[in-house]
Amino acid sequence: MNQTGAGCASLLAELIGFDTVNPGGDEPALCHHLAGKLEAIGADSVTVGTTPRPGQTGAWVFARFGTPELLVNAHVDTVPANRGWTRNPHQAEVTSEHVYGLGSADTKGAIACILTALGDVKPQNVGILFSGDEERSSTVLPKFLETPEAKAAKHAIVCEPTTRRAGIRHRGVLCYQAEIRGQGGHSSKADTMPKPIVTMAKLAVALAELGESFVPEGPADMKGLCFNIAGIDGGVAFNVVPELARLTWSARQPPGFDTQVLEERQLELAASIDSDIVITKVLDQPPFAIRDQAHLQALIGDYPQIWSPLDFWTEAAVFSQAGIDAVVIGPGDIAQAHAADEFVTLSDLDWATSMFRDVFTNTHAS
């Protein structure tokens, strides 16, 4: 391991030690810690922002170098540790080839690489944004994008573990819930009472068939909607007819998909089964597609092995929706993200550090 790689791995181990599990972790603590490092590197200004969300406080730290037209972003929060860990997820283990620890790939490894590269090259007209709540409800990034600090931004590099690919588009995520109420009561009266769970079961079957009808549709590399019936809730006991039943389902729409068409068809199906069914949209994460690949490719160079679609959602969609064109790239493999004994390879950390070093150098010529 070279000196740069050793320093990056050591820095990553330090970041893993901060518990930023979402929900429940302390994003502001890590953001204030990162602010100190960004100030020591020599940023023109560093600010820490917070925003409340249910159960905790979301946070971001932003470092300005000139007037930022390019934003480089990685998220500070992690998912909870999955089952099967054989190590302490919050205590990094560095070997000759890997750094193990929660968030090592997703995306504290990228943060360590960015900071390491900044130690060698000060960018020009770049903002470094480390933000929270990417893993759950994306409340933090939209709040930052409303600030004056984001107004000049035109492009963004969004860090996720992409296996050395550059992600140029991905699906969005839609989630819905339907509810139906009956009178509820003793199951000895079930023959003469409304059956909310049966009603939701009928809707579930109808929606599954609707999802299947979209499978042949869409762009060649993103056909269908990945339609998922996720659950029916409401049962109390075997001898109780429930008063309420709830159905949850999701769809993942490709760029350009007309969501209104899907929602109108869902409402028609629900009305045909029971006019009292109420449908609520509980999540609407937009799809993402790059607009000016040539500009971002000139910044990143030949580091990506391929420029291609991604299978997972990222906050590049939030940047794009705000008018900031984006690309998704970073060290690690999405297969390790959210998995037990999560890791990133040292070779990927070296690769990403070199990439960011060159990106920052290229900003002086752009």
Side-chain angles (χ1 to χ4, degrees), residues 178-182 194-196 199-200 202-203 266-280:
E179 287 188 354
I180 185 74
R181 288 187 177 274
K195 302 175 179 61
T199 302
M200 289 294 97
K202 291 177 181 178
L203 180 59
Q266 290 178 162
L267 288 171
E268 290 170 2
L269 285 175
S272 70
I273 294 169
D274 193 311
S275 60
D276 290 331
I277 294 173
V278 177
I279 295 179
T280 305

Side-chain angles (χ1 to χ4, degrees), residues 11-298:
L11 176 55
L12 174 53
E14 182 181 322
L15 302 181
I16 290 169
F18 284 81
D19 181 355
T20 52
V21 167
N22 188 356
D26 192 343
E27 293 174 11
L30 179 53
C31 287
H32 282 289
H33 182 76
L34 291 169
K37 291 187 178 296
L38 290 162
E39 289 168 353
I41 286 169
D44 294 335
S45 66
V46 179
T47 56
V48 175
T50 59
T51 182
R53 65 179 191 266
Q56 68 188 105
T57 300
W60 72 83
V61 56
F62 179 72
R64 179 179 62 82
F65 295 85
T67 302
E69 297 181 0
L70 171 69
L71 299 178
V72 180
N73 170 244
H75 63 87
V76 300
D77 60 321
T78 74
V79 295
N82 205 340
R83 294 180 180 179
W85 275 82
T86 63
R87 301 165 170 83
N88 182 341
H90 299 293
Q91 182 175 331
E93 180 180 330
V94 181
T95 71
S96 60
E97 296 183 354
H98 305 90
V99 179
Y100 292 89
L102 189 60
S104 55
D106 190 16
T107 58
K108 292 179 179 180
I111 295 174
C113 293
I114 292 165
L115 291 173
T116 302
L118 285 172
D120 297 326
V121 179
K122 302 297 183 296
Q124 181 172 296
N125 296 332
V126 169
I128 306 297
L129 174 66
F130 301 139
S131 51
D133 197 29
E134 189 274 345
E135 294 289 8
R136 195 166 176 88
S137 52
S138 290
T139 58
V140 171
L141 181 57
K143 289 294 185 182
F144 168 78
L145 293 176
E146 293 173 359
T147 68
E149 296 169 312
K151 296 307 179 186
K154 299 176 181 177
H155 298 90
I157 297 174
V158 179
C159 295
E160 290 288 346
T162 60
T163 326
R164 306 196 186 190
R165 293 181 295 161
I168 58 173
R169 60 185 178 276
H170 61 64
R171 296 174 181 271
V173 184
L174 299 164
C175 182
Y176 303 90
Q177 287 185 337
E179 287 188 354
I180 185 74
R181 288 187 177 274
Q183 66 191 69
H186 199 285
S187 63
S188 64
K189 304 295 184 182
D191 290 345
T192 59
M193 294 173 64
K195 302 175 179 61
I197 286 184
V198 174
T199 302
M200 289 294 97
K202 291 177 181 178
L203 180 59
V205 171
L207 288 171
E209 293 173 350
L210 174 62
E212 290 171 2
S213 73
F214 283 99
V215 170
E217 299 185 16
D221 56 1
M222 286 190 184
K223 287 190 177 297
L225 288 179
C226 305
F227 211 88
N228 178 47
I229 304 298
I232 299 177
D233 304 299
V236 178
F238 78 92
N239 55 354
V240 176
V241 177
E243 177 192 5
L244 169 73
R246 180 182 296 112
L247 173 68
T248 303
W249 71 97
S250 66
R252 293 178 179 263
Q253 75 279 29
F257 180 77
D258 189 345
T259 302
Q260 185 175 348
V261 170
L262 172 65
E263 294 181 345
E264 288 175 352
R265 293 180 67 180
Q266 290 178 162
L267 288 171
E268 290 170 2
L269 285 175
S272 70
I273 294 169
D274 193 311
S275 60
D276 290 331
I277 294 173
V278 177
I279 295 179
T280 305
K281 184 190 293 184
V282 295
L283 182 67
D284 186 354
Q285 293 179 325
F288 155 69
I290 197 170
R291 293 189 291 272
D292 185 3
Q293 182 172 326
H295 179 88
L296 288 162
Q297 200 158 352

